Amino acid sequence: MQRLTEAALAAIPGAVQKPRYSRGEVKTGIVHIGPGAFHRAHQAVYIDSLLATDPRWGICGVSLRSPALKEKLGPQDNLYTLAVQDLTSGMRVIGAFTELLVAPADMAAILARMASPETYLISLTVTEKGYCLKDGKLDWQHPDIAADLANISAPVSAIGLLVAALQRRRQAGLENLTVLSCDNLVDNGHKLKGAVLALAGRLDPALGDWIAAKVAFPCAMVDSITPASEADLEATVAQTLGAVDAWPIKREGFSQWVIEDNFSGPKPALDSVGVTFTQDVALYEQAKLRLLNGTHSTLAYLGSLLGLETVLEAISQPVLADFIDALVAKEIVPSLTAPDDMDLAAYAEAILKRYRNPYIRHLLAQIAWDGSQKLPFRLLGTVRDNLKAGHSIDRLCVAVAAWLRFIEAKAQSGDALTDPLAAKLLACQGPDAFLALDEVFGDLGANPAFAAALKAAYQRLDGITLNSVRERLHDLID
């Protein structure tokens, strides 16, 4: 069977969507650092749609360490297949990448591309760890940052790479640039800007001042579940396309991208292909954190206590679905201020529909990781707001209590707990011990109303089973 290439596109079945533009006319206007599966399933797909009307925005993908993507997609003319797996499914060949480069081998070409007058946007998906932050600020003790301070001409970190490129752009008199974080990091644009300015300012205060004045760092929110690609996906794609794709990817049907309308220089018309430009990304972030991530964590801990394995299994239990509905309607939605163009009830309904996607196997055990880092944002912020407003917190406390019971079950079984605070958490017995953890609960630990509600919820969950869960939670559902 032939390999997926530009030449092979003509023979691919019409049911598969192909690039609707001449790839030979595409210019490279974007450099993206970290072209992993999420970027290829999310931002690159929006760009692929935009190229049909504006060829200035082709993507140069930059891998900071691994050559795997370049090695697999290079022989395919940088084409790859996106398989959307949902109630309505389909396949699409994405042609948005004009080139793929790998650091450090291609460092000269990478810096040249980032400092090109045709490059107007540098974006990133490097995960939170890639920002080299500690308590929200640049970690000067991080070995990659130390290496960049010693030799910024051969940067190691994503932050160092940005500073080295911006140094070149300043020397060349090129100002029109926007640097866009696409990572799931709250307030990501401001944190990225702070890290870049910190490193640049220490190397050259004048460079830091220039970046602060000339370069935009908008915040953004991204959302779409992108499971790891499996071997059977390659076979399915090959059968459908009649061509072999060495690295196809898959995702759910839902996709959302919200960007702060803060650009320096040309702005891609991404709103024409479904992206939302806004003055306040924080409202969208909060809605996602509380409605999507908050209910995800609730299902993870309650479902795990009941012996369930996946999100689909959990939401397929009528009692859990009813509890999540009540949690959303009575305690989460009342805590939110909706953006002007967002219907919170419809957004919540779409989230619960996503949980029922039979093609996405999302493990509760993975969602349950790092609870001490996640719950302050996903659940405890909602608790605080509801306490201030005089609203109920009983259902939220069931979710938090399920986390406590989940940890205690790990301690009793001897199973590993994936969490930065694992040792402290596993040593806790009972709600009072957990509430004393300031790094998790902060001021809530001493709040008598929260403590009372949490202890009541903790008692509800004592020895809970699938047979008893409706009885235990009925008054919070009906």
Side-chain angles (χ1 to χ4, degrees):
M1 189 178 290
Q2 65 179 332
R3 186 79 172 263
L4 174 62
T5 61
E6 188 76 26
L9 286 177
I12 289 175
V16 177
Q17 184 176 332
K18 292 170 277 192
R20 297 173 178 174
Y21 50 88
S22 171
R23 295 187 76 219
E25 297 177 3
V26 173
K27 297 180 179 180
T28 304
I30 301 172
V31 174
H32 183 83
I33 304 170
F38 184 76
H39 170 71
R40 293 198 290 136
H42 187 273
Q43 301 103 56
V45 180
Y46 287 98
I47 297 299
D48 190 69
S49 297
L50 179 63
L51 290 174
T53 56
D54 190 344
R56 293 178 298 166
W57 300 103
I59 305 170
C60 167
V62 173
S63 297
L64 289 176
R65 287 170 178 81
S66 173
L69 188 65
K70 181 178 180 180
E71 291 171 354
K72 290 193 174 186
L73 297 195
Q76 299 181 179
D77 299 321
N78 298 326
L79 295 167
Y80 64 93
T81 310
L82 168 68
V84 174
Q85 297 185 338
D86 215 317
L87 299 180
T88 301
S89 299
M91 292 191 186
R92 174 175 177 178
V93 176
I94 306 298
F97 286 109
T98 56
E99 62 183 340
L100 292 168
L101 302 174
V102 182
D106 299 327
M107 186 57 71
I110 292 168
L111 289 172
R113 180 61 72 187
M114 294 174 77
S116 166
E118 291 186 345
T119 297
Y120 299 115
L121 178 65
I122 298 175
S123 53
L124 302 87
T125 46
V126 293
T127 76
E128 184 172 352
K129 293 179 181 178
Y131 291 74
C132 302
L133 302 176
K134 184 176 182 180
D135 298 327
K137 299 183 182 300
L138 192 64
D139 180 6
W140 297 109
Q141 305 306 312
H142 194 289
D144 290 353
I145 298 302
D148 291 340
L149 277 171
N151 185 13
I152 195 61
S153 63
V156 178
S157 71
I159 304 302
L161 182 58
L162 286 169
V163 170
L166 291 170
Q167 187 179 58
R168 287 195 175 199
R169 292 185 73 92
R170 178 179 177 236
Q171 292 168 353
L174 298 173
E175 299 179 357
N176 295 325
L177 185 74
T178 298
V179 180
L180 176 63
S181 170
C182 299
D183 281 293
N184 276 314
L185 178 65
V186 175
D187 206 27
N188 52 16
H190 297 144
K191 289 178 180 175
L192 176 59
K193 181 178 181 179
V196 169
L197 290 179
L199 181 57
R202 182 165 292 194
L203 290 166
D204 178 358
L207 173 62
D209 292 343
W210 180 87
I211 293 171
K214 303 296 184 181
V215 181
F217 291 82
C219 291
M221 188 203 81
V222 294
D223 187 14
S224 191
I225 297 173
T226 307
S229 298
E230 299 164 345
D232 61 345
L233 179 63
E234 292 185 27
T236 302
V237 167
Q239 184 178 19
T240 303
L241 268 61
V244 175
D245 184 343
W247 202 341
I249 52 171
K250 62 180 179 180
R251 73 152 208 238
E252 65 172 334
F254 180 91
S255 183
Q256 184 181 28
W257 193 4
V258 180
I259 305 174
E260 181 185 2
D261 197 357
N262 171 30
F263 284 73
S264 176
K267 179 177 77 172
L270 288 165
D271 51 335
S272 68
V273 293
V275 174
T276 299
F277 287 124
T278 181
Q279 296 299 321
D280 193 350
V281 173
L283 293 178
Y284 293 87
E285 282 183 332
Q286 189 177 73
K288 179 191 171 187
L289 274 171
R290 297 188 178 187
L291 287 169
L292 173 66
N293 301 130
T295 56
H296 240 176
S297 288
T298 302
L299 284 174
Y301 298 121
L302 276 176
S304 295
L305 289 179
L306 298 174
L308 304 174
E309 188 177 6
T310 68
V311 170
L312 178 60
E313 289 177 0
I315 202 65
S316 296
Q317 299 293 327
V319 61
L320 293 187
D322 290 345
F323 179 77
I324 292 296
D325 283 343
L327 172 65
V328 166
K330 297 181 179 182
E331 295 186 6
I332 298 181
V333 167
S335 77
L336 294 169
T337 300
D340 292 339
D341 62 347
M342 178 182 281
D343 181 333
L344 288 176
Y347 180 62
E349 184 178 350
I351 287 171
L352 299 182
K353 182 179 178 181
R354 293 166 67 187
Y355 292 166
R356 293 183 170 89
N357 184 346
Y359 299 99
I360 302 297
R361 191 170 184 272
H362 211 162
L363 295 175
L364 299 178
Q366 291 179 335
I367 299 168
W369 289 350
D370 302 329
S372 69
Q373 311 301 298
K374 294 174 179 176
L375 263 62
F377 300 101
R378 297 183 174 195
L379 294 170
L380 300 183
T382 316
V383 169
R384 284 187 176 85
D385 286 351
N386 281 8
L387 285 171
K388 290 177 183 176
H391 296 155
S392 169
I393 60 169
D394 291 339
R395 297 163 190 85
L396 289 161
C397 283
V398 166
V400 178
W403 178 58
L404 308 191
R405 290 288 187 182
F406 170 82
I407 293 168
E408 290 179 343
K410 291 284 188 182
Q412 292 169 8
S413 67
D415 292 340
L417 175 66
T418 303
D419 194 291
L421 298 181
K424 284 187 176 182
L425 294 170
L426 291 171
C428 292
Q429 295 183 4
D432 287 329
F434 285 100
L435 287 168
L437 296 174
D438 288 342
E439 54 266 72
V440 178
F441 291 101
D443 60 319
L444 280 176
N447 185 296
F450 174 65
L454 182 62
K455 291 174 183 178
Y458 179 85
Q459 289 304 316
R460 279 181 188 266
L461 301 182
D462 184 23
I464 196 168
T465 65
L466 273 174
N467 290 331
S468 66
V469 64
R470 171 70 69 175
E471 178 184 349
R472 300 288 186 88
L473 300 181
H474 74 91
D475 58 314
L476 300 181
I477 296 172
D478 302 331

